[in-house]
Amino acid sequence: MKLDEYLKSNNTTRYEIAKISGISESSFKNLLLQDVSNYAGRFYRAIGLVLGKTGGQVYDELTADDNTVFNFLGKHHIHDKERVTELLDYMLYFKKHDIDVTNVSFNRFENEIENGNISGDEDDVLKVIDNLIENFKTMKENVEAGNLPTPEKMD
């Protein structure tokens, strides 16, 4: 979600945030050039101050729409702290290495539910999460071994 869309959905503007938080409006204009997931923490805190939220809540809300993994976890109410922590650790690792893993598709899982092949209960969801963790583990091992895909390998 873009910054201005987020502020509008929360009935405020960059001007109001700047006025109340003391962060200059020009600083907020510079944010429009950046990916919302890369803002400095002070901006999330400033927005949160005005909206009555924590900086972490603001970050989560701004970035959730772009992250299919977070959307999946939220949609299926995954509260398994160990699994979620492991997923987040892998996602942070990949982010540090400029590898985008936020657009994982869960279409097959959703199609299996629609077709009646699975119920989509907690056990099914946890299997998907476990598979994702295993895939991330393999991807990390490949990155660390220097086995990154190249255009030649992808053909």
Side-chain angles (χ1 to χ4, degrees):
M1 179 180 287
K2 301 289 184 204
L3 177 61
D4 285 334
E5 293 171 15
Y6 177 76
L7 295 177
K8 184 177 180 179
S9 72
N10 282 279
N11 300 314
T12 193
T13 63
R14 278 184 277 140
Y15 173 78
E16 291 170 339
I17 300 290
K19 185 171 81 173
I20 294 170
S21 69
I23 294 176
S24 70
E25 190 173 4
S26 64
S27 292
F28 277 100
K29 285 181 183 176
N30 291 334
L31 291 179
L32 298 176
L33 304 174
Q34 298 179 31
D35 183 283
V36 293
S37 63
N38 293 327
Y39 294 172
R42 68 188 180 109
F43 292 108
Y44 300 117
R45 288 189 297 276
I47 295 167
L49 172 74
V50 175
L51 300 179
K53 300 178 180 186
T54 67
Q57 287 172 314
V58 171
Y59 174 84
D60 290 344
E61 291 172 359
L62 272 168
T63 60
D65 287 345
D66 298 332
N67 190 320
T68 59
V69 176
F70 289 158
N71 291 343
F72 183 83
L73 294 174
K75 178 179 179 180
H76 295 285
H77 309 288
I78 304 302
H79 301 293
D80 184 313
K81 185 176 180 179
E82 184 178 325
R83 284 179 170 108
V84 171
T85 299
E86 191 170 0
L87 270 178
L88 293 177
D89 286 346
Y90 281 122
M91 292 177 75
L92 288 171
Y93 171 85
F94 292 123
K95 183 174 176 74
K96 288 178 185 174
H97 288 84
D98 292 322
I99 300 169
D100 184 9
V101 294
T102 62
N103 60 353
V104 174
S105 172
F106 295 95
N107 292 343
R108 181 174 176 196
F109 177 75
E110 301 299 337
N111 290 340
E112 292 290 314
I113 293 171
E114 284 179 25
N115 294 333
N117 297 331
I118 60 173
S119 66
D121 64 10
E122 184 177 4
D123 288 338
D124 292 333
V125 172
L126 292 177
K127 286 178 190 172
V128 170
I129 298 300
D130 290 340
N131 286 336
L132 185 58
I133 289 170
E134 282 302 311
N135 283 323
F136 282 174
K137 179 181 177 185
T138 301
M139 287 173 60
K140 181 180 178 184
E141 290 168 356
N142 286 332
V143 168
E144 290 175 345
N147 298 328
L148 299 175
T150 61
E152 298 83 40
K153 290 181 183 176
M154 295 172 71
D155 289 336

